[in-house]
Amino acid sequence: MATLKELAGQEELFSGGHRLCAGCGIPPIVRLVLRSAKGPVVATTATGCLEVGSTIYPYTSWKVPWMHSAFENAAATISGIESAYKALKRKGRLPVKPVSDDKDTKFIAFGGDGGTYDIGLQALSGAMERGHNFLYVCYDNGAYMNTGIQRSSATPLGSATTTSPAGSVIPGKEEYRKDITRIMVAHRSPYVAQASPHNWKDLEKKAARALEINGPTFLNVMSPCPLGWYSKPEDSIALAKLSTDTCFWPLYEVDEGVLKISYKPKEKKPIGDWLKLQGRFKHLFKPGGEEIIEKIQLDIDTNWERLLDMDGKLIF
Amino acid sequence: MADNTASKTKNSALTGNSAMALAMKQIDPDVCAVYPITPSTTVIEEFSSYVADGAVETEFVTVESEHSAMSACIGASAAGGRAMTATSSQGLALMWEMLYIASGMRLPIIMTTVNRALAAPINIHCDHSDSMGARDSGWIQLYSETVQEAYDNLFQAVKIAEDERVLLPVMVCLDGFITSHAIEVLSLITDDEAKDFVGDYTAKHPLLDTDNPASMGALALPDTYMDFKHVQSDAIAASKEVVIEVGKEFGKRFGREYGLIDTYQLEDADVAIVILNSAAGTTRVAIDELRAKGLKVGLLKPRLFRPFPHAEMVEALKGVKAVCVLDRADSFSGFGGPLFNEVRSALYDMEDRPKIMGRIYGLGGKDYTTENAVAIYEALFDVVKTGKIDTLNDYMGS
């Protein structure tokens, strides 16, 4: 495990100068994941903020081979790339010969929550089931931010988005989030984890573990979005931390079927602490909002208790 | 009886789909990403047997949808591999988004398209609605009258697609059930001949070249987007020459030369039918019957539909007095099928152009018979006699 000083001295594989917003969670996630790989990396990205923000022709932020083809198919695209690698390696026709097996090229697909939980779920499920050797990283900012903050199945209950606005009758999104991490665990993936960019050591460790495994692995990473959360750019990392201190975003991993919680806050903070810093929840702090906040808190508490029950256990 | 004159080739009786699976085996692509759909399914079933028996070195990816099949082919081709797939009908329709991305990224992917009608109503039988729906997707389209042509076209498709002047995906179309499931005797080339003809594929800028990282599929804004489309348009227009070259080379090696169009009894014909794929064979029989009665009737069968062979069409139809274009797909424009519109547009600049009418036939597997063809020729002679077309476009047989 590199120290922060050592990390700072490493070559960046995702360069600055891109057009992602100030305070966006995506760039630190991508930088940390890319340098967790020990060997060469090939990456794909679903259509979304990361793609449009990092590659406006003729510019690119990617110092590793990178490809984007469409929105719903990052996992299918990486399947094809990884399959070509296998075939060309077998035939001795790879353009760059691997030095050794642990220097095999690693394949990483990035997608936002829209491209992962919603439109890309089928392709992701297929690729996980087929067992391709790749890591899928979801940066979850809780809505379709690239198209202007529309609700996705990752949008938290109570959140106002441009397609689930807080109106006089309907108070923002009325449904709970889909738990994609558990869906990925159900695919019997050898390694599934949740991480957050504020805890860079944990994120890097999890990415490195996922990439050393020969098989389909999945990382779900909290990604603050000042634009869509109506929060201050300088609060992003603090908001990421609060999401774990409130247990809204538990940090845990399921390694070869064994669930392990990576972070247990000494004192679990009330969800209101996290909600109140984000404009998307501001209607919940007006009269009538308490019930919704209570509902969110109850859901978080139930989920956290379940995780604590499973901690250290073989869950599949 | 064995044909002793062609020592290297052998004759075999195969269905269209078996022949396509065999051609794929002989090409031995790096990646084959597939999803089953009637009537193309047996192509991938038989290919999977070649994989299971170790007859190919292909990475066989059984994806969860046609959208992912094309997406995986796109990834594999960008990575630097030779990628192939096969589909029909709804499968091709589901790929629609990715077809444009394959051609826009200039990836030489090869696809067998076993033509089948599109829903609704759902129907598994032959028409060309599927591939005609993909006609503007930037893919080169080769059509095949027989099992032999479909088999031969697949090898040529690889060479055309991967030519540096082209670098575009190619689909080889054959008629569902009529050609895909009918057994025909065809002449096969050997595995060595196939490998030697298609050669090895070495991508110029493979994504897997981690020493020289490339970014592919970037966002192009209004200052550059149109330039990408312009060069793509030039490339598909220029591919005609490559199709001709490859067709000649195939002829030189294996005795069966291919051009952009095929004609039958057209040189001195007064009237002609323009038609794609297997129905051309039925039309040939009708022509023989009518020629025996002294009637000058002929056939023009485009082999290449994208890019469209306009000039060759004009040249071939010189001197013909009336033409009927038969479409096995409607474009729902209220003005005839896609082939009718292409041919009619091509003939516009002719000095002395023939009268031209269009008929939609054979949708959802409705039979096209020699009687149908004879009736069309009779209608065309009426047009010649009266100098008038009564009905410009119509459905035939419904």
Side-chain angles (χ1 to χ4, degrees):
Chain A
M1 189 85 214
T3 63
L4 190 57
K5 200 174 170 188
E6 283 164 355
L7 275 183
Q10 278 182 14
E11 189 205 358
E12 287 290 356
L13 297 173
F14 184 81
S15 80
H18 53 71
R19 303 186 194 198
L20 289 155
C21 303
C24 174
I26 302 169
I29 295 168
V30 174
R31 285 160 56 207
L32 281 163
V33 169
L34 287 181
R35 59 187 182 195
S36 303
K38 293 190 179 68
V41 168
V42 173
T44 63
T45 305
T47 308
C49 291
L50 174 57
E51 170 256 329
V52 301
S54 65
T55 61
I56 295 179
Y57 183 83
Y59 303 105
T60 182
S61 284
W62 298 85
K63 294 186 178 178
V64 299
W66 170 90
M67 178 180 181
H68 156 258
S69 72
F71 192 6
E72 66 280 59
N73 65 351
T77 307
I78 204 88
S79 299
I81 298 168
E82 185 257 2
S83 298
Y85 181 82
K86 276 188 194 153
L88 294 178
K89 188 180 174 190
R90 196 160 57 228
K91 295 177 179 184
R93 285 179 35 226
L94 281 175
V96 179
K97 306 279 176 263
V99 187
S100 61
D101 270 356
D102 66 341
K103 292 281 182 196
D104 250 354
T105 298
K106 300 291 176 187
F107 300 93
I108 308 175
F110 291 95
D113 48 284
T116 306
Y117 287 66
D118 289 348
I119 199 167
L121 183 61
Q122 176 184 310
L124 174 59
S125 175
M128 297 295 280
E129 183 273 332
R130 292 191 300 274
H132 294 279
N133 185 18
F134 77 112
L135 164 62
Y136 192 100
V137 180
C138 173
Y139 56 92
D140 182 343
N141 50 28
Y144 291 88
M145 301 310 185
N146 189 45
T147 43
I149 324 164
Q150 292 79 31
R151 65 91 83 187
S152 76
S153 60
T155 301
L157 183 136
S159 177
T161 70
T162 56
T163 53
S164 63
S168 55
V169 177
I170 303 172
K173 194 191 178 219
E174 297 185 291
E175 302 80 20
Y176 292 108
R177 305 171 67 247
K178 185 189 283 181
D179 191 340
I180 191 111
T181 308
R182 275 158 64 185
I183 295 173
M184 289 301 108
V185 170
H187 282 73
R188 307 213 261 184
S189 159
Y191 189 80
V192 173
Q194 287 201 163
S196 169
H198 81 276
N199 192 340
W200 59 269
K201 265 189 185 172
D202 181 65
L203 171 53
E204 204 205 307
K205 203 174 97 188
K206 284 170 175 166
R209 173 72 184 131
L211 288 166
E212 77 184 13
I213 289 169
N214 187 0
T217 55
F218 181 82
L219 275 189
N220 201 10
V221 190
M222 163 55 64
S223 185
C225 173
L227 185 82
W229 292 9
Y230 299 90
S231 56
K232 290 180 186 159
E234 61 270 32
D235 284 350
S236 286
I237 292 301
L239 278 167
K241 184 169 188 316
L242 258 178
S243 77
T244 61
D245 285 336
T246 55
C247 296
F248 170 85
W249 192 265
L251 299 183
Y252 71 99
E253 63 184 7
V254 181
D255 193 337
E256 302 290 355
V258 177
L259 187 143
K260 198 177 146 215
I261 297 175
S262 331
Y263 173 69
K264 292 177 189 169
K266 282 193 189 99
E267 193 192 340
K268 186 156 147 268
K269 293 192 170 158
I271 191 61
D273 289 6
W274 186 63
L275 302 178
K276 70 185 177 196
L277 295 172
Q278 305 173 54
R280 61 176 172 159
F281 297 113
K282 72 172 184 222
H283 56 286
L284 301 185
F285 294 92
K286 288 175 184 162
E290 311 84 357
E291 273 178 38
I292 298 167
I293 295 178
E294 271 171 39
K295 205 175 160 185
I296 298 169
Q297 186 67 61
L298 183 65
D299 183 53
I300 288 169
D301 293 346
T302 310
N303 189 40
W304 180 241
E305 288 303 319
R306 277 187 197 153
L307 274 180
L308 286 172
D309 278 350
M310 289 188 278
D311 191 21
K313 290 181 188 149
L314 187 68
I315 61 162
F316 73 78
Chain B
M1 196 200 290
D3 180 0
N4 294 324
T5 54
S7 59
K8 277 187 181 172
T9 61
K10 62 168 189 170
N11 287 343
S12 193
L14 295 175
T15 65
N17 281 355
S18 293
M20 297 315 262
L22 177 64
M24 285 168 73
K25 178 219 146 191
Q26 294 182 308
I27 293 163
D28 194 359
D30 298 312
V31 176
C32 196
V34 297
Y35 190 82
I37 184 166
T38 305
S40 67
T41 312
T42 50
V43 175
I44 65 164
E45 279 177 1
E46 291 191 29
F47 188 77
S48 76
S49 294
Y50 292 127
V51 175
D53 294 337
V56 289
E57 288 190 279
T58 306
E59 196 62 29
F60 189 61
V61 192
T62 48
V63 286
E64 80 300 328
S65 74
E66 289 89 352
H67 192 283
S68 284
M70 188 46 61
S71 299
C73 283
I74 286 169
S77 185
R82 183 179 274 157
M84 296 181 92
T85 188
T87 196
S88 294
S89 183
Q90 309 304 127
L92 187 61
L94 189 57
M95 285 180 185
W96 196 83
E97 179 194 28
M98 301 317 298
L99 295 177
Y100 283 74
I101 292 170
S103 62
M105 292 184 81
R106 309 292 301 276
L107 299 171
I109 297 162
I110 304 300
M111 173 157 60
T112 293
T113 302
V114 182
N115 288 112
R116 165 185 152 183
L118 285 175
I122 191 165
N123 174 296
I124 60 165
H125 295 281
C126 176
D127 72 35
H128 303 156
S129 306
D130 50 4
S131 58
M132 283 299 161
R135 69 188 185 273
D136 295 340
S137 64
W139 283 59
I140 292 169
Q141 290 189 333
L142 293 171
Y143 284 79
S144 323
E145 181 179 339
T146 60
V147 174
Q148 181 79 66
E149 284 187 17
Y151 173 79
D152 291 349
N153 277 341
L154 204 69
F155 300 106
Q156 294 175 67
V158 174
K159 264 189 106 73
I160 295 162
E162 293 171 3
D163 190 291
E164 230 180 72
R165 293 164 288 175
V166 179
L167 289 175
L168 286 168
V170 180
M171 70 175 79
V172 174
C173 305
L174 61 150
D175 282 349
F177 293 110
I178 301 165
T179 312
S180 69
H181 287 60
I183 295 173
E184 276 180 30
V185 174
L186 74 157
S187 175
L188 303 176
I189 63 176
T190 66
D191 291 0
D192 287 344
E193 286 170 334
K195 287 215 164 55
D196 189 54
F197 180 75
V198 297
D200 279 336
Y201 174 54
T202 308
K204 224 174 171 183
H205 305 289
L207 197 63
L208 291 177
D209 184 356
T210 44
D211 287 345
N212 299 288
S215 286
M216 301 186 189
L219 170 70
L221 294 174
D223 57 338
T224 54
Y225 178 87
M226 198 158 165
D227 300 331
F228 282 107
K229 291 295 132 184
H230 195 166
V231 292
Q232 185 186 338
S233 183
D234 288 348
I236 198 162
S239 72
K240 270 190 205 174
E241 283 310 309
V242 179
V243 176
I244 293 168
E245 278 175 33
V246 171
K248 277 191 180 144
E249 194 193 329
F250 194 87
K252 212 185 286 171
R253 290 198 190 203
F254 310 117
R256 297 182 296 278
E257 187 177 321
Y258 289 87
L260 307 185
I261 58 169
D262 185 23
T263 61
Y264 185 62
Q265 301 280 20
L266 191 62
E267 266 185 22
D268 64 341
D270 291 323
V271 298
I273 283 176
V274 179
I275 201 162
L276 289 165
N277 273 11
S278 67
T282 312
T283 309
R284 288 172 202 267
V285 176
I287 289 170
D288 289 346
E289 284 174 14
L290 295 175
R291 283 271 171 179
K293 293 178 189 165
L295 296 168
K296 290 182 174 174
V297 296
L299 165 77
L300 192 159
K301 181 194 69 169
R303 171 183 177 239
L304 186 70
F305 186 79
R306 279 291 181 268
F308 196 74
H310 291 90
E312 294 74 10
M313 191 76 66
V314 167
E315 195 54 39
L317 290 174
K318 269 184 190 158
V320 176
K321 293 174 183 133
V323 173
C324 183
V325 181
L326 285 162
D327 268 287
R328 203 161 200 156
D330 198 343
S331 61
F332 302 106
S333 65
F335 197 68
L339 184 59
F340 167 76
N341 278 281
E342 291 287 353
V343 175
R344 197 166 190 263
S345 168
L347 301 193
Y348 185 80
D349 289 326
M350 278 177 84
E351 286 290 322
D352 200 9
R353 59 177 175 258
K355 294 272 179 198
I356 178 164
M357 61 185 202
R359 293 292 179 268
I360 308 278
Y361 78 101
L363 300 189
K366 187 173 267 289
D367 268 346
Y368 170 77
T369 62
T370 52
E371 288 79 12
N372 293 145
V374 168
I376 292 285
Y377 283 121
E378 282 167 358
L380 285 171
F381 280 119
D382 277 349
V383 169
V384 174
K385 206 160 89 186
T386 62
K388 262 194 277 177
I389 293 175
D390 284 339
T391 312
L392 185 62
N393 280 294
D394 203 358
Y395 268 56
M396 198 180 83
S398 77

Short mmCIF file of all heavy atoms in Angstrom, two decimals, chain B residues 25 34 41 47 60 70 81 115-116 119-120 145 147-148 154 157 173 205 221 248 252 300 345 350 352 380-381 387 398:
data_model
loop_
_atom_site.label_atom_id
_atom_site.label_comp_id
_atom_site.label_asym_id
_atom_site.label_seq_id
_atom_site.Cartn_x
_atom_site.Cartn_y
_atom_site.Cartn_z
N LYS B 25 -16.03 -20.80 -39.85
CA LYS B 25 -15.00 -21.71 -39.32
C LYS B 25 -13.71 -21.57 -40.14
O LYS B 25 -12.61 -21.52 -39.58
CB LYS B 25 -15.51 -23.15 -39.40
CG LYS B 25 -14.51 -24.18 -38.93
CD LYS B 25 -14.56 -25.42 -39.79
CE LYS B 25 -13.19 -26.03 -39.93
NZ LYS B 25 -13.08 -27.06 -40.94
N VAL B 34 -22.42 -13.67 -30.13
CA VAL B 34 -23.66 -14.10 -30.78
C VAL B 34 -24.84 -14.20 -29.83
O VAL B 34 -24.68 -14.39 -28.63
CB VAL B 34 -23.47 -15.47 -31.45
CG1 VAL B 34 -22.42 -15.40 -32.54
CG2 VAL B 34 -23.11 -16.54 -30.43
N THR B 41 -30.29 -18.77 -36.27
CA THR B 41 -29.77 -19.51 -35.11
C THR B 41 -28.80 -20.64 -35.47
O THR B 41 -27.78 -20.80 -34.81
CB THR B 41 -30.94 -20.10 -34.29
OG1 THR B 41 -31.90 -19.07 -34.10
CG2 THR B 41 -30.47 -20.61 -32.96
N PHE B 47 -21.56 -23.12 -35.54
CA PHE B 47 -20.25 -22.55 -35.24
C PHE B 47 -19.83 -22.94 -33.82
O PHE B 47 -18.65 -23.22 -33.57
CB PHE B 47 -20.26 -21.02 -35.41
CG PHE B 47 -18.89 -20.43 -35.29
CD1 PHE B 47 -17.98 -20.52 -36.33
CD2 PHE B 47 -18.49 -19.81 -34.11
CE1 PHE B 47 -16.70 -20.00 -36.22
CE2 PHE B 47 -17.21 -19.28 -33.98
CZ PHE B 47 -16.32 -19.38 -35.03
N PHE B 60 -15.48 -17.37 -28.26
CA PHE B 60 -16.92 -17.43 -28.56
C PHE B 60 -17.68 -16.83 -27.39
O PHE B 60 -17.62 -17.36 -26.27
CB PHE B 60 -17.30 -18.90 -28.78
CG PHE B 60 -18.68 -19.12 -29.31
CD1 PHE B 60 -19.07 -18.60 -30.54
CD2 PHE B 60 -19.59 -19.89 -28.59
CE1 PHE B 60 -20.35 -18.84 -31.04
CE2 PHE B 60 -20.87 -20.13 -29.08
CZ PHE B 60 -21.25 -19.60 -30.31
N MET B 70 -23.45 -6.90 -30.81
CA MET B 70 -22.79 -5.90 -31.64
C MET B 70 -21.82 -5.06 -30.79
O MET B 70 -20.73 -4.72 -31.25
CB MET B 70 -23.83 -5.02 -32.35
CG MET B 70 -23.26 -4.06 -33.39
SD MET B 70 -22.03 -4.78 -34.54
CE MET B 70 -22.98 -6.05 -35.35
N GLY B 81 -9.03 -7.26 -32.92
CA GLY B 81 -9.40 -8.61 -33.35
C GLY B 81 -10.33 -8.58 -34.55
O GLY B 81 -10.95 -7.57 -34.84
N ASN B 115 -32.23 -12.83 -43.67
CA ASN B 115 -33.37 -11.91 -43.76
C ASN B 115 -34.68 -12.51 -43.27
O ASN B 115 -35.07 -13.62 -43.67
CB ASN B 115 -33.55 -11.46 -45.21
CG ASN B 115 -32.47 -10.50 -45.65
OD1 ASN B 115 -31.64 -10.82 -46.50
ND2 ASN B 115 -32.46 -9.32 -45.07
N ARG B 116 -35.35 -11.73 -42.43
CA ARG B 116 -36.63 -12.13 -41.86
C ARG B 116 -37.47 -10.88 -41.63
O ARG B 116 -36.93 -9.80 -41.34
CB ARG B 116 -36.39 -12.87 -40.54
CG ARG B 116 -37.63 -13.03 -39.68
CD ARG B 116 -37.32 -13.66 -38.31
NE ARG B 116 -38.30 -13.20 -37.34
CZ ARG B 116 -38.28 -13.51 -36.05
NH1 ARG B 116 -37.33 -14.28 -35.57
NH2 ARG B 116 -39.20 -13.04 -35.23
N ALA B 119 -41.60 -7.55 -36.83
CA ALA B 119 -42.90 -7.42 -36.17
C ALA B 119 -43.29 -5.94 -36.16
O ALA B 119 -42.41 -5.07 -36.22
CB ALA B 119 -42.81 -7.96 -34.75
N ALA B 120 -44.60 -5.60 -36.00
CA ALA B 120 -45.73 -6.47 -35.84
C ALA B 120 -46.51 -6.56 -37.16
O ALA B 120 -46.44 -5.62 -37.92
CB ALA B 120 -46.67 -5.91 -34.75
N GLU B 145 -28.12 -14.57 -53.78
CA GLU B 145 -29.25 -15.30 -54.38
C GLU B 145 -29.29 -16.75 -53.92
O GLU B 145 -30.36 -17.31 -53.72
CB GLU B 145 -29.12 -15.24 -55.91
CG GLU B 145 -30.23 -15.94 -56.66
CD GLU B 145 -30.07 -15.82 -58.18
OE1 GLU B 145 -29.36 -14.88 -58.63
OE2 GLU B 145 -30.63 -16.65 -58.90
N VAL B 147 -27.08 -20.30 -51.89
CA VAL B 147 -26.16 -20.71 -50.82
C VAL B 147 -24.72 -20.45 -51.26
O VAL B 147 -23.90 -19.94 -50.50
CB VAL B 147 -26.38 -22.20 -50.46
CG1 VAL B 147 -25.33 -22.67 -49.47
CG2 VAL B 147 -27.79 -22.43 -49.92
N GLN B 148 -24.44 -20.78 -52.52
CA GLN B 148 -23.08 -20.57 -53.05
C GLN B 148 -22.68 -19.10 -52.93
O GLN B 148 -21.58 -18.78 -52.49
CB GLN B 148 -23.03 -21.00 -54.53
CG GLN B 148 -21.65 -20.83 -55.16
CD GLN B 148 -20.70 -21.96 -54.77
OE1 GLN B 148 -20.91 -23.11 -55.13
NE2 GLN B 148 -19.67 -21.63 -54.01
N LEU B 154 -19.19 -14.20 -47.94
CA LEU B 154 -18.65 -14.00 -46.59
C LEU B 154 -17.12 -13.82 -46.62
O LEU B 154 -16.58 -12.97 -45.91
CB LEU B 154 -19.04 -15.14 -45.65
CG LEU B 154 -19.04 -14.74 -44.17
CD1 LEU B 154 -20.17 -13.76 -43.85
CD2 LEU B 154 -19.12 -15.93 -43.24
N ALA B 157 -16.44 -10.46 -48.02
CA ALA B 157 -16.81 -9.40 -47.07
C ALA B 157 -15.63 -9.06 -46.16
O ALA B 157 -15.38 -7.89 -45.86
CB ALA B 157 -18.01 -9.86 -46.23
N CYS B 173 -26.26 -10.66 -46.70
CA CYS B 173 -27.67 -10.99 -46.53
C CYS B 173 -28.06 -12.21 -47.36
O CYS B 173 -27.64 -12.32 -48.53
CB CYS B 173 -28.55 -9.81 -46.95
SG CYS B 173 -28.13 -8.28 -46.09
N HIS B 205 -4.37 0.60 -35.41
CA HIS B 205 -4.30 1.24 -34.09
C HIS B 205 -5.12 0.45 -33.08
O HIS B 205 -6.18 0.90 -32.63
CB HIS B 205 -4.84 2.68 -34.16
CG HIS B 205 -4.15 3.51 -35.19
ND1 HIS B 205 -2.87 3.95 -35.03
CD2 HIS B 205 -4.56 3.98 -36.39
CE1 HIS B 205 -2.51 4.66 -36.10
NE2 HIS B 205 -3.52 4.68 -36.94
N LEU B 221 -17.83 17.60 -31.40
CA LEU B 221 -18.78 18.72 -31.39
C LEU B 221 -19.00 19.25 -32.82
O LEU B 221 -18.41 18.73 -33.77
CB LEU B 221 -18.26 19.78 -30.42
CG LEU B 221 -18.26 19.31 -28.95
CD1 LEU B 221 -17.60 20.32 -28.02
CD2 LEU B 221 -19.66 18.97 -28.47
N LYS B 248 -13.15 -9.83 -58.40
CA LYS B 248 -12.29 -10.35 -59.50
C LYS B 248 -11.27 -11.33 -58.96
O LYS B 248 -11.01 -12.37 -59.56
CB LYS B 248 -11.58 -9.17 -60.18
CG LYS B 248 -12.45 -8.49 -61.23
CD LYS B 248 -11.64 -7.52 -62.06
CE LYS B 248 -12.58 -6.87 -63.08
NZ LYS B 248 -12.24 -5.49 -63.34
N LYS B 252 -10.63 -15.14 -59.95
CA LYS B 252 -9.35 -15.65 -60.44
C LYS B 252 -8.94 -16.90 -59.67
O LYS B 252 -8.45 -17.87 -60.21
CB LYS B 252 -8.29 -14.56 -60.28
CG LYS B 252 -7.22 -14.60 -61.35
CD LYS B 252 -6.13 -13.59 -61.09
CE LYS B 252 -6.54 -12.15 -61.39
NZ LYS B 252 -5.52 -11.19 -60.92
N LEU B 300 -32.25 -7.92 -63.69
CA LEU B 300 -31.10 -7.24 -63.08
C LEU B 300 -31.17 -7.49 -61.58
O LEU B 300 -32.17 -7.19 -60.95
CB LEU B 300 -31.13 -5.73 -63.35
CG LEU B 300 -29.84 -4.97 -63.02
CD1 LEU B 300 -29.80 -3.66 -63.78
CD2 LEU B 300 -29.66 -4.72 -61.54
N SER B 345 -34.27 6.68 -58.85
CA SER B 345 -33.37 7.82 -58.74
C SER B 345 -32.15 7.66 -59.66
O SER B 345 -31.72 8.60 -60.32
CB SER B 345 -32.92 7.98 -57.28
OG SER B 345 -31.86 8.88 -57.19
N MET B 350 -30.77 9.34 -67.12
CA MET B 350 -30.62 8.66 -68.41
C MET B 350 -31.30 9.48 -69.51
O MET B 350 -32.39 10.01 -69.30
CB MET B 350 -31.27 7.26 -68.35
CG MET B 350 -30.40 6.21 -67.73
SD MET B 350 -31.27 4.64 -67.63
CE MET B 350 -30.99 3.97 -69.28
N ASP B 352 -32.58 8.36 -72.35
CA ASP B 352 -33.76 7.69 -72.88
C ASP B 352 -34.17 6.63 -71.86
O ASP B 352 -33.98 5.45 -72.07
CB ASP B 352 -33.37 7.02 -74.21
CG ASP B 352 -34.61 6.74 -75.04
OD1 ASP B 352 -35.70 7.21 -74.65
OD2 ASP B 352 -34.47 6.03 -76.04
N LEU B 380 -45.53 -5.33 -67.89
CA LEU B 380 -44.50 -4.44 -68.46
C LEU B 380 -44.67 -4.30 -69.97
O LEU B 380 -44.48 -3.21 -70.54
CB LEU B 380 -43.10 -4.98 -68.13
CG LEU B 380 -42.63 -4.77 -66.67
CD1 LEU B 380 -41.33 -5.53 -66.42
CD2 LEU B 380 -42.44 -3.29 -66.35
N PHE B 381 -45.05 -5.41 -70.64
CA PHE B 381 -45.29 -5.31 -72.09
C PHE B 381 -46.48 -4.39 -72.38
O PHE B 381 -46.48 -3.67 -73.38
CB PHE B 381 -45.49 -6.71 -72.70
CG PHE B 381 -44.19 -7.42 -72.95
CD1 PHE B 381 -43.89 -8.63 -72.33
CD2 PHE B 381 -43.24 -6.89 -73.84
CE1 PHE B 381 -42.69 -9.28 -72.57
CE2 PHE B 381 -42.04 -7.55 -74.08
CZ PHE B 381 -41.75 -8.74 -73.44
N GLY B 387 -47.45 2.91 -73.51
CA GLY B 387 -46.63 4.06 -73.12
C GLY B 387 -47.07 4.65 -71.80
O GLY B 387 -46.66 5.76 -71.43
N SER B 398 -51.60 -9.51 -52.44
CA SER B 398 -52.39 -9.34 -51.21
C SER B 398 -53.51 -8.34 -51.46
O SER B 398 -53.50 -7.63 -52.45
CB SER B 398 -51.53 -8.85 -50.06
OG SER B 398 -51.29 -7.47 -50.20
#
